[in-house]
Amino acid sequence: MLQKNIAEVRVFNRFYTRVTGLLDKYILHSNYTLPEARILYEIYHNENIQAGDIIASTGIDKGYLSRILKIFVAKKLVAKKRSVQDGRSVHLSLTTQGKREFEALNAVQDEEIKKLLEMLLVDEREKLVYHMAEINKILSKTIS
């Protein structure tokens, strides 16, 4: 029975990544990979966040995050500021350019989801959103 469940989850994962385009190198034909877009999201929604907080919320590898942040700083998308309370801590924030980039990417993502949902009947959309919330609730128990 467990093996059948494993197979079904993997079928769903392959289907969902295809529907959402998660396997494309750059998300939504932008200049950003999925991990890069997620990092921009975290910084946008958590002003003055620290790298450790991004690692905790995304599970991204520390070295990979460091490389992405270096690129973002060089492109003037992210600013780093040493903590006044603890000089070892660095706070991250998006620059004005970084905010514009994220907001444009976010608008495109919203539009893509809108197109997907518009192909469904209202009750199908409601079911989909309900079941996604259920998946979140169930799988949240597995994340520590």
Side-chain angles (χ1 to χ4, degrees), residues 80-106:
K80 291 181 169 185
K81 187 170 118 184
R82 288 243 171 251
S83 171
V84 176
Q85 293 84 7
D86 181 356
R88 298 169 297 173
S89 297
V90 176
H91 296 277
L92 305 166
S93 60
L94 292 182
T95 62
T96 301
Q97 181 181 343
K99 287 178 184 174
R100 275 196 310 265
E101 287 284 317
F102 173 77
E103 288 167 355
L105 183 60
N106 199 51

Side-chain angles (χ1 to χ4, degrees), residues 135-144:
I135 290 168
N136 273 341
K137 188 166 83 176
I138 292 166
L139 291 181
S140 290
K141 298 173 189 175
T142 67
I143 299 173
S144 51

